């Protein structure tokens, strides 16, 4: 019954906008005509199937789950025994399933639901029919109003635009545009803003909006229709297609609000830290228990390291403190190197350097490979030599490269170098192919700590735009303090962006090109300046810091001087 | 020194790396102190060393055939050169570069080892001038020639070139990727064209050895005809890794030589990792090592996991604590319950009688294993030739089944017996003969009469031969009698014969004998192939914690992350966090809430919306706590918490900043559409 009703509704909608449809058909008759017709036929079929599909879908899902379980069983997973392991709960099938497009307001909705029912949990089940039906209705409501508005504003423009661009747009498969349209309804809560934007927009943009609006008409039935398509095609292929469909569209519509409108001041590292220190940690008892569980493993790690395995820790939460405790309790009497992988300036070269430093090697090496070879020989010759490498975040930006991993792997494959490392990134295991894995000879340990990645995220690079600025500023000041007055004035001049060599000479900061370069090297080492060869061969210097920060900096310096 | 360093680190933001000196290294600490830990560690080392050397020996043995034939090929291939023969075929040969194509199968890690030992063997037996090049190291000609010449020069320095003529061997390790494969072949092509063209061959005898992953066709496809015609290719097939696995299993686990055993689940995991993930024997051995280690580390009674006389000796020195451990073993308890009450008391109270009993039980266990493996092999002889392999083609599959439960309860076993009852005589005899060999090879006394029995069966089958001949004669004479009758009579008599057969179902002697053999096999299986967990004290020898093994070897970091974010109750056993599937309470850790919210978004996420949603949730949770901070300050704190959660999600790789739209981040996980 409901389906027929809905059908009627759809028809009504279609009738309402028949004029636009005609326009479409008129243009499309030349090229894309048959396509559309086909689509429409499908549409009708789909709406009829509406009632059946949820069950089928569920069944299919179940089967999928079953299949997965089979695989897991093949892998010899022991569910009964695996009480401690997080990986056992979801057999992997639910981890990152492809999700249908969701309404942007869903987040807010979920939030309010979560908020409204404190303590009690809100079901987020995707198969929930209420939610799925909700979406199209919602967008329908929006579309009606948007539509009328559009009609008023842009009708004339639409007609006047060249049909070429339009055709291009229309050839894009319907199923794709329909899902987009769901979005276009978006958070246009302030209609004024939207209208303004339209006025400013170029012709083409208006056009696309227009067409989306038209598609919106169709969108309601199609939205419901998509799952039934699922039945027709194989599920996997469907997922793949949907993925590419979603990612091919260049335009994703979200609300246009920016943080600037929100009058939240940018936070620097220090204030952030201060603010966070006010937060009382929750679940401390449980966290402590978790940590204690991990700490019981220390002796085992020690043993396994000695027997030729290397240890990698994974799981949510910073493993820094855990490793630090491991270091203080177990490694007091051994030579060990702690490497903070998350530090932006770290490199394999520096790791190797510190290893050679430990071995009391004076002199330099031609290349990293030379150095590695020297280390290898040294360790092979002297079996009494033992070295522990502790690497926090082996998967950090600086170390995740293929070459770096290869070299660290080769180091770790040495009999008397013991490596214990932590990884955090979701895709970290992808760094290692079979060859590297056999070099590393990993034993995996899950150490979920839930502790905050305070240190790891404290470096500028790993933070989002909004709290940027403070660190380079503080580091600028930091470096400047540690320099000779000559050099610091020099940097001031430099940052004042004057033709500085001359000015420096006049100020007697540098007396020759050579000393200038020496000074520059110092700054370069601290990544405060960068050199670039221009197209004409002239060397350019630039400070890789935002203009705003630089002015801030100059102001502060002037105040102090 | 160390403290100083440590404090420095806390201050410094410019150093990411710290070295700590402090000498006098500790040795291996077999902690978890108590319970004979030292002894256990020593036993572990001993067994592991034995196992390791055994695998190395096996490796050598398996490679030997291949290497021998390769060496022979290398030695003969250039013999034509010295003869300076004038004849035509010699001429042709001179124009070709002898090439050995070594088909190794798909696997990188183990091949390194094989090729390294090949290099060694060649250096020892054929020529000091062996250069081994990796495909990935030489993407083009220049890059190929450089290491090639470099390594060659290196060789010469070492040996002070006594011979003027030298044989070079380029050894190639070709990897999975067709890219590197083709890149490398291209380079070889170039080399062949420009560098080692045939005229050079007179002064510069060269042999190529290619390692190929898939099939020799690749060579022809990748090299142009002009080049491949210059190569005189000979194929060498290395042993497949599956056979390798079978041998390793056979020599390490299906033997009483090593007391350590794996339970069914553990074995299943190891073989599955091998078959589904990497085909790497080395990894398999690693898994074996880990399970050995885990066994000795976690099971205090593993002190008894050594050869029989030693184990018996050790039982004498078991501490009271260890005796208690024995009494606590489930298998031992089951055993005690079956004993008479008097004996029960003795076993549970007196350590002395316990030790004596333990000794005899250990001996039983040893005997059980000896018989077990013999019968297992025997059964394998019978089942491995049956159509459709109901009990598996490989002995490891059969072994797994037998370890799991009583094999005779399974359907597969019933069908095996059924199939055995249908076997023809010569097949059956071949199987019996194999079994006979198996039993003969062992010296077990208990099964001595089994061998005898099989021998008897064989003799009976042989004598059957003569009898059946007679039978055939009689039937032939019968048919002769029939020949003269007409069609009607013939039909009638045939019908009669048929009826006769179906009604009386008189079994031939062969059928009777076959039945006997089948029931004999069946009785053997039922007697000796009891699953190990029926044996008292099996815990001392069997490692069964499959879960630990899987966790450490075949971990799933993504799932762990997801679980932690999605269902914090799993880790933090706080009732406030308990929730239904797929939902999350609002008191959960910040990162979980942010994660949950971001799942609702598409490819791009508006930070403002996100932060507001986050604030809504968190405020709701805080109101419960009745916080009395001013709202502005609280908002700031919440915002800070949001920032922290977001940057943590960024570190974990769920989102990244994007410039597509201001104040937006992009989702990176699947489903981010």
């Amino acid at each position: 019954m409901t389906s027929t009703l809905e059908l009627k509704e759809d028809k009504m909608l279609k009738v309402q906008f028949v004029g636009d449809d005609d326009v479409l058909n008129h243009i499309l008759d030349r090229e894309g005509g048959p396509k559309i017709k086909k689509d429409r036929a499908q549409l009708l079929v789909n709406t009829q199937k509406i009632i059946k599909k949820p069950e089928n879908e569920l069944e299919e899902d179940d089967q999928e789950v079953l299949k997965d379980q089979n695989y897991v069983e093949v892998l010899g997973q022991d569910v009964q025994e695996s009480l401690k392991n997080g990986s056992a709960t979801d057999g992997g099938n639910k981890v990152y399933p492809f999700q249908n497009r969701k309404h942007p307001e869903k987040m807010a909705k979920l939030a309010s639901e979560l908020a409204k029912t404190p303590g009690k949990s809100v079901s987020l089940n995707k198969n929930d029919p209420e939610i799925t039906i909700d979406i199209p209705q919602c967008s329908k409501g929006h579309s009606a109003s948007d539509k009328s508005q559009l009609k008023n504003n842009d009708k004339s423009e639409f007609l006047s635009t060249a049909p070429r661009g339009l055709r291009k747009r229309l050839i894009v498969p319907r199923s794709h545009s329909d899902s987009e349209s769901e979005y276009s309804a978006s958070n246009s809560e302030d209609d004024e803003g939207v209208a303004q934007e339209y006025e400013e927009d170029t012709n083409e943009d208006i056009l696309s909006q227009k067409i989306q609006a038209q598609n919106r008409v169709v969108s309601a039935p199609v939205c419901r229709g998509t799952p039934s398509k699922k039945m027709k095609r194989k599920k996997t292929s469907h997922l793949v297609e949907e993925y590419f469909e979603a990612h091919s569209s260049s335009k994703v519509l979200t609300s246009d609000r920016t943080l600037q409108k929100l009058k939240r001041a940018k936070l620097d590292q220090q204030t952030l830290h201060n603010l966070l220190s006010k937060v009382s940690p929750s679940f401390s008892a449980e966290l402590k228990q978790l940590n204690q569980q991990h700490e019981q493993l220390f002796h085992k790690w020690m043993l396994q390291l000695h027997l030729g395995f290397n240890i990698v820790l994974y799981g949510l939460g910073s493993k820094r403190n855990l490793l630090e405790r491991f270091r203080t309790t177990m490694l007091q009497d051994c030579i060990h190197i702690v490497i903070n992988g998350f530090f932006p300036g770290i490199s394999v070269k520096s790791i190797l350097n510190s290893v050679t430093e430990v071995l009391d090697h004076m002199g330099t090496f031609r290349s990293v490979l030379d150095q590695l070879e020297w280390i290898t020989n040294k360790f092979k010759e002297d079996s009494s030599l033992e070295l522990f490498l502790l690497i926090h975040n082996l998967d950090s930006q600086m170390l995740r490269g293929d070459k770096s991993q290869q070299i660290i792997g080769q180091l770790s494959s040495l009999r008397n170098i013991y490596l214990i490392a932590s990884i955090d990134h979701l895709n970290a295991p992808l760094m290692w192919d079979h060859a590297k894995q056999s070099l590393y000879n990993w034993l995996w340990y899950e150490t979920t700590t839930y502790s905050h990645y305070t240190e790891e995220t404290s470096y500028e690079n790993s933070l989002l735009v909004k709290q940027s600025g403070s660190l380079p500023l503080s580091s600028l000041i930091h470096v400047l303090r540690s320099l000779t007055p000559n050099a610091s004035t020099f940097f001031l001049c430099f940052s004042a962006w004057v033709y500085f060599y001359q000015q420096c000479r006049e100020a007697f900061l540098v007396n020759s090109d050579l000393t200038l370069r020496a000074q520059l090297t110092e700054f370069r080492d601290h990544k405060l300046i960068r050199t670039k060869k221009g197209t004409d061969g002239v060397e350019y210097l630039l400070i890789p810091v935002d203009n705003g920060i630089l002015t801030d900096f100059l102001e502060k310096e002037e105040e102090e001087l | 020194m160390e403290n100083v360093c440590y404090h420095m680190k806390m201050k410094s933001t410019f150093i990411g790396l710290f070295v700590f000196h402090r000498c006098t290294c500790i040795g291996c600490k077999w902690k978890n102190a108590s319970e004979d830990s030292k002894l256990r560690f020593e036993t572990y080392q001993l067994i592991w060393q034995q196992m390791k050397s055994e695998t190395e020996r096996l490796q050598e043995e398996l490679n030997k055939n291949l290497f021998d034939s390769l060496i022979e090929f290398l030695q003969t291939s250039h013999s034509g050169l010295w003869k300076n023969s004038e004849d035509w075929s010699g001429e042709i040969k001179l124009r070709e570069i002898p090439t050995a194509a070594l088909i190794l199968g798909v696997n990188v890690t183990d091949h390194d080892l094989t090729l390294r030992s090949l290099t060694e063997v060649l250096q020892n037996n054929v020529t000091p001038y062996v250069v081994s090049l990796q495909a990935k190291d030489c993407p083009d000609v220049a890059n190929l020639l450089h290491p090639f010449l470099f390594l060659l020069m290196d060789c010469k320095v070492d040996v002070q070139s006594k011979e003027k003529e030298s044989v070079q061997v380029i050894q190639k390790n070709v990897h999975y990727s067709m890219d590197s494969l083709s890149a490398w072949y291209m380079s070889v092509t170039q080399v062949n064209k420009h560098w080692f063209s045939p005229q050079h061959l007179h002064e510069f005898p060269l042999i190529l050895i290619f390692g190929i992953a898939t099939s020799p066709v690749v060579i022809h496809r990748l090299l142009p005809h002009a080049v491949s015609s210059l190569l005189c290719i000979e194929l060498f097939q290395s042993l497949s890794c599956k056979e390798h696995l079978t041998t390793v299993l056979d020599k390490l686990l299906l033997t009483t030589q090593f007391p350590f055993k794996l339970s069914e689940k553990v074995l299943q995991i190891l073989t599955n990792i091998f078959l589904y993930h990497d085909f790497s024997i080395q990894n398999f051995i690693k898994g074996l090592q880990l399970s050995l280690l885990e066994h000795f580390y976690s099971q205090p009674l593993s002190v008894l996991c050594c050869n029989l006389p030693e184990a018996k000796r050790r039982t004498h020195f078991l501490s009271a604590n260890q005796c208690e451990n024995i009494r606590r073993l489930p298998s031992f308890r089951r055993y005690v319950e079956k004993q008479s009450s008097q004996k029960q008391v003795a076993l549970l109270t007196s350590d002395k009688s316990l030790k004596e009993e333990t000794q005899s039980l250990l001996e039983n266990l040893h005997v059980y294993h000896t018989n077990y493996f013999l019968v297992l092999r025997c059964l394998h002889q019978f089942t491995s030739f049956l159509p459709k392999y109901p009990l598996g083609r490989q002995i490891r599959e059969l072994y797994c089944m037998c370890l799991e439960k009583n094999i005779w309860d399974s359907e597969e076993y019933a069908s095996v017996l059924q199939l055995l009852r249908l076997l023809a005589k010569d097949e059956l005899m071949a199987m019996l003969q194999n079994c006979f060999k198996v039993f003969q090879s062992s010296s077990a006394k208990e099964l001595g009469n089994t061998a005898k029995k099989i021998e008897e069966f064989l003799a009976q089958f042989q004598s059957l031969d003569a009898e059946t001949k007679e039978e055939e004669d009689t039937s032939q004479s019968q048919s002769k009698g029939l020949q003269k009758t007409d069609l009607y009579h013939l039909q009638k008599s045939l019908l009669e014969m048929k009826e006769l057969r179906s009604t009386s179902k008189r079994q031939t002697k062969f059928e009777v004998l076959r039945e006997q053999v089948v029931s004999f096999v069946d009785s053997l299986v039922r007697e000796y192939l009891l699953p190990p967990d029926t044996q008292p004290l099996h815990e001392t020898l069997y490692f069964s914690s499959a879960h630990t093994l899987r966790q450490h070897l075949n971990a799933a970091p993504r799932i762990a992350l997801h679980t932690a974010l999605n269902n914090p109750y799993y880790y933090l056993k706080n009732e406030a966090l308990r929730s239904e599937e797929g939902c999350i309470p609002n008191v959960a850790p910040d990162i979980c809430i942010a994660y949950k919210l971001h799942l609702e978004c598409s490819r791009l996420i508006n930070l403002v919306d996100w932060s507001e949603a986050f604030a809504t949730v968190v405020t709701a949770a805080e109101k419960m706590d009745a916080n009395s901070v001013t709202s502005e300050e609280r908002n700031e704190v919440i915002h800070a918490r949001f920032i922290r959660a977001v940057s943590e999600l960024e570190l974990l790789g769920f989102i990244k900043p994007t410039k597509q739209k201001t104040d937006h981040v992009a989702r990176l996980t699947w489903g981010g559409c």
Side-chain angles (χ1 to χ4, degrees), chain B residues 33 63 153 158-159 201 298 433 460 545 636:
Chain B
N63 284 334
M153 292 313 180
D158 284 351
V159 196
L201 212 63
S298 54
Q433 230 126 31
Q460 279 174 333
S545 171
E636 276 203 353

Side-chain angles (χ1 to χ4, degrees), chain A residues 125-140:
Chain A
N125 201 343
K126 257 176 282 144
N127 288 334
D128 195 340
E130 256 184 29
I131 291 177
T132 41
I133 292 170
D134 235 23
I135 302 164
Q137 275 170 355
C138 192
S139 64
K140 220 188 287 168

Side-chain angles (χ1 to χ4, degrees), chain A residues 74-77 81-83 85-87 89-90 92 94-96 98-99 102 106-107 110-111 114-115 118-119 122 124 183 187 243 246-247 249 252 254-259 262 264 267 272 276 278-279 283 286-287 299-300 302-304 306-307 309 314 316 324 327 332-340 343 346 350 354 358 386 424-427 429 434-435 438 441-446 448 450 452-453 457 462-464 467 478, chain B residues 2 6 9 13-20 22-26 28 30-31 44-45 109 269 272 276-278 286 289-290 293-294 297 547 550-552 555 557-560 562-565 568 570-574 577 581-584 586-587 595-597 599-604 606 608-610 612-613 616-617 620 633 636-637 639-641 643-644 646-648 650-654 661-665 667 669-670 672-673:
Chain A
V74 163
L75 273 179
Q77 183 173 31
E81 278 180 280
S82 56
L83 274 170
N85 190 8
S87 31
T89 39
D90 315 64
K94 282 181 218 140
V95 179
Y96 302 112
F98 184 85
Q99 283 165 342
K102 285 186 177 144
K106 193 117 181 263
M107 186 157 73
L110 171 73
L114 277 175
V122 180
L124 268 185
Y183 261 84
N187 280 10
Y243 176 82
H247 281 251
S249 65
V252 177
T254 50
S255 73
D256 297 323
R257 301 196 292 172
T258 55
L259 287 167
L262 218 72
R264 188 97 53 217
L267 298 170
L272 187 70
L276 287 175
K278 288 179 197 162
V279 183
F283 309 116
E286 285 84 3
L287 288 174
H299 286 294
K300 202 168 173 182
M302 211 49 195
L303 175 78
Q304 283 168 339
H306 272 103
L307 293 175
F309 297 104
Y314 67 92
L316 180 69
E324 202 49 46
R327 190 182 71 80
Q332 284 299 350
D333 302 323
C334 314
I335 310 176
H336 55 275
I337 300 178
V338 178
I339 298 148
N340 291 328
F343 182 77
I346 204 92
S350 49
S354 61
V358 167
E386 281 185 326
D424 287 303
H425 197 275
L426 183 66
N427 296 325
H434 278 303
S438 74
N441 202 15
W442 286 130
L443 286 187
W444 298 74
Y445 275 89
E446 188 191 330
T448 301
Y450 280 102
H452 295 289
Y453 292 99
T457 53
S462 62
L463 282 178
L464 292 174
Q467 53 282 38
H478 186 85
Chain B
E2 192 217 302
Y6 186 68
K9 174 175 64 170
T13 38
F14 288 97
I15 303 164
L17 213 145
F18 311 93
V19 184
F20 301 91
R22 189 67 64 90
C23 278
T24 63
C25 270
I26 45 149
C28 279
W30 189 270
K31 270 300 273 194
Y44 159 78
Q45 292 233 302
T109 45
I269 281 180
N272 280 338
Y276 293 95
H277 287 259
D278 51 12
K286 173 190 165 189
Q289 186 193 359
L290 181 66
L293 177 63
E294 281 286 331
Y297 187 82
H547 153 68
R550 196 176 52 83
Q551 206 181 1
H552 296 327
R558 281 179 77 120
I559 298 177
H562 178 77
T563 316
L565 287 169
Y570 190 83
Y571 293 95
L572 306 170
K573 301 285 180 202
N574 189 315
L577 289 174
E581 176 80 7
C583 0
I584 197 166
N586 55 16
V587 288
Y595 173 77
K596 204 72 196 175
L597 290 172
L599 282 183
E600 297 303 316
C601 282
S602 68
R603 204 164 45 142
L604 291 183
N606 186 317
V608 184
D609 289 350
W610 196 4
E612 277 183 0
T616 326
V617 177
E633 198 179 341
E636 276 203 353
V637 171
H639 188 62
R641 279 165 67 183
I643 289 172
R644 178 170 64 184
V646 168
S647 49
E648 281 172 358
E650 189 191 342
L651 183 85
L652 292 174
F654 285 102
K661 215 169 172 186
T662 42
D663 291 330
H664 274 64
V665 288
R667 262 188 81 175
T669 42
W670 179 247
C673 63

Side-chain angles (χ1 to χ4, degrees), chain A residues 107-299:
Chain A
M107 186 157 73
K109 209 170 125 197
L110 171 73
S112 61
E113 273 168 12
L114 277 175
K116 265 180 227 157
T117 51
K120 228 182 89 186
S121 41
V122 180
S123 161
L124 268 185
N125 201 343
K126 257 176 282 144
N127 288 334
D128 195 340
E130 256 184 29
I131 291 177
T132 41
I133 292 170
D134 235 23
I135 302 164
Q137 275 170 355
C138 192
S139 64
K140 220 188 287 168
H142 272 285
S143 68
S145 63
D146 279 1
K147 176 71 200 175
S148 58
Q149 196 189 358
L150 265 173
K151 234 181 184 173
N152 295 339
N153 287 352
D154 309 318
K155 185 86 182 179
S156 55
E157 271 175 290
F158 170 64
L159 287 174
S160 66
T161 43
R164 217 172 177 211
L166 184 59
R167 215 183 303 140
K168 226 161 83 191
R169 282 273 165 190
L170 288 174
I171 289 166
V172 177
R174 273 284 175 106
S175 56
H176 150 74
S177 48
D178 76 20
S179 48
E180 201 174 53
S181 67
E182 211 181 293
Y183 261 84
S184 55
S186 78
N187 280 10
S188 41
E189 352 105 282
D190 40 356
D191 279 357
E192 289 171 11
V194 176
Q196 273 174 9
E197 221 180 273
Y198 282 158
E199 275 164 27
E200 282 158 19
D201 266 346
T202 57
N203 263 355
E204 217 184 11
D205 258 349
I206 294 163
L207 221 155
S208 71
Q209 290 280 359
K210 176 83 188 165
I211 285 150
Q212 271 163 18
Q214 277 171 342
N215 286 337
R216 243 173 256 154
V217 183
V218 198
S219 80
V222 174
C223 273
R224 294 198 198 91
T226 34
S228 68
K229 266 185 225 156
K230 236 181 226 172
M231 284 166 24
K232 283 184 188 169
R233 281 178 249 163
K234 257 187 142 186
K235 195 173 180 182
T236 47
S237 72
H238 179 75
L239 285 183
V240 172
E241 275 167 35
E242 208 175 317
Y243 176 82
F244 283 112
E245 251 169 39
H247 281 251
S248 62
S249 65
S250 56
K251 195 143 182 161
V252 177
L253 286 140
T254 50
S255 73
D256 297 323
R257 301 196 292 172
T258 55
L259 287 167
Q260 272 181 343
K261 282 182 197 166
L262 218 72
K263 276 168 277 165
R264 188 97 53 217
K266 281 184 184 178
L267 298 170
D268 61 44
Q269 204 52 236
Q270 194 54 44
T271 33
L272 187 70
H273 188 78
N274 289 343
L275 282 174
L276 287 175
S277 61
K278 288 179 197 162
V279 183
S280 56
S282 46
F283 309 116
S284 46
E286 285 84 3
L287 288 174
K288 205 174 161 196
Q289 202 187 343
L290 263 184
N291 273 323
Q292 274 167 354
Q293 276 174 18
H294 301 321
E295 274 167 44
Q296 282 164 7
L297 294 168
F298 282 175
H299 286 294

